[in-house]
Amino acid sequence: MNLNHRENVPGGIGQSESRLAHIAFIMDGNGRWAQKRGMPREYGHVQGAKTMFDIATLVFKRQIPCMTIYAFSTENWSRPQKEIEALTSLLHEYIKKARRIMEEDNVRFRFIGDYSRFGDKVAAMIEDLVRDSAGNRWMLNTALNYGGRDEIVRAANKALAEGKTMLTEEDISRHLDTAPCPPLDLIVRTAGEMRLSNFLLWQAAYAEFYATPALWPDFDEAELEKAIAAFSQRKRRFGGLVNK
Ligand code: FPP
């Protein structure tokens, strides 16, 4: 699908959706989805990656300019070695596919978190992809070896390295990994959990949270519609009294 043009997008945004500028996904339930089918957990991650690209296409088709996904947390290193190896190998495939999507769908790929832990080869592939897609329109952030607390500490240290001694919220905000993105509007979590799990802690301060029992590989266009519809019904007051 060609996402290079804004106008006449089928299923495009209505007035209420137009305020949704940044959507994030905690893609939970891959392992359960596979196990329900008598398959190894790794198979769930393969399906989960396919779902992720399908959902990104739908998100950008709706003119939502920025999407962030939680692909690998700082805590995921405690998983069995076999699963970590499968996720690392999937990451290679993911980056190769991302290069196609970058060209076909005008997507700008960015990575948040400390991805250097995946090794020099992966880091080089990531940096090539980020550089080559930098001028593209739709922003897709992939969180890799990411933790929200870690991001805040790194942001604070960057501000301190500039010579600051007292930090403001603005100092932290502009050094976050997501700094070039619009403010976060909506976090979607699949598989029924109701936690942030160390994801986008700073950015989540005024974001809306939406949970669905659907397992991530089953998350489809109808599920996305439901999440966006729920978001449209929310009254966002950002701590004040005035409705949106
Ligand atoms: C959580 O499900 C999912 C993950 C830890 C990985 C998410 C990754 C993808 C969707 C694929 C893209 C991957 C890369 C590396 C780019 P879970 O395994 O915790 O599921 P469970 O709760 O059912 O066990």
Side-chain angles (χ1 to χ4, degrees):
M1 189 198 27
N2 189 337
L3 295 175
N4 290 311
H5 302 291
R6 233 193 137 83
E7 57 277 359
N8 301 327
V9 179
I13 50 173
Q15 183 63 37
S16 55
E17 286 180 33
S18 65
R19 283 184 285 262
L20 184 43
H22 186 173
I23 185 168
F25 293 94
I26 303 178
M27 309 180 291
D28 205 7
N30 292 342
R32 274 168 276 177
W33 183 90
Q35 282 165 338
K36 266 172 63 179
R37 286 160 178 75
M39 300 292 281
R41 292 175 50 80
E42 295 73 23
Y43 178 65
H45 296 313
V46 173
Q47 289 301 317
K50 287 186 185 148
T51 298
M52 197 290 302
F53 280 112
D54 290 346
I55 294 299
T57 300
L58 292 166
V59 162
F60 298 141
K61 191 169 138 190
R62 278 167 177 70
Q63 313 287 303
I64 299 167
C66 184
M67 167 167 155
T68 300
I69 55 155
Y70 207 3
F72 197 99
S73 74
T74 44
E75 291 72 30
N76 285 153
W77 295 107
S78 65
R79 293 200 172 198
Q81 192 56 28
K82 179 169 168 261
E83 188 165 339
I84 290 175
E85 278 164 18
L87 280 165
T88 307
S89 135
L90 191 56
L91 180 55
H92 283 90
E93 296 308 311
Y94 175 88
I95 297 169
K96 283 186 206 153
K97 182 158 181 189
R99 292 204 68 88
R100 281 209 313 279
I101 304 285
M102 156 188 98
E103 282 165 15
E104 290 167 10
D105 287 348
N106 202 4
V107 176
R108 175 181 176 189
F109 282 87
R110 297 182 68 260
F111 289 78
I112 64 172
D114 180 9
Y115 56 77
S116 66
R117 191 161 166 190
F118 287 94
D120 291 346
K121 188 170 172 221
V122 166
M125 287 169 80
I126 286 176
E127 278 149 26
D128 287 349
L129 175 63
V130 169
R131 188 195 55 238
D132 295 344
S133 67
N136 287 357
R137 179 186 188 105
W138 309 105
M139 202 182 284
L140 179 51
N141 302 308
T142 305
L144 277 184
N145 189 25
Y146 173 89
R149 289 181 177 178
D150 175 65
E151 182 190 30
I152 294 166
V153 170
R154 285 188 290 105
N157 281 325
K158 285 179 199 162
L160 293 171
E162 289 175 341
K164 300 254 173 180
T165 48
M166 290 283 284
L167 302 184
T168 62
E169 289 191 10
E170 169 53 26
D171 290 324
I172 304 283
S173 293
R174 71 194 161 81
H175 287 298
L176 292 174
D177 296 344
T178 54
C181 308
L184 181 62
D185 294 309
L186 176 62
I187 301 182
V188 175
R189 181 162 190 159
T190 56
E193 312 293 351
M194 298 288 187
R195 291 183 291 278
L196 280 178
S197 297
N198 205 11
F199 189 44
L200 302 177
L201 294 183
W202 185 278
Q203 299 86 335
Y206 287 105
E208 298 294 320
F209 186 82
Y210 175 85
T212 169
L215 304 177
W216 176 252
D218 290 328
F219 193 88
D220 58 8
E221 185 163 17
E223 290 289 341
L224 181 65
E225 297 285 358
K226 279 195 265 175
I228 292 174
F231 174 80
S232 309
Q233 298 302 313
R234 304 277 175 93
K235 300 275 180 259
R236 301 184 80 196
R237 293 187 291 274
F238 300 98
L241 294 175
V242 184
N243 286 350
K244 48 182 182 171

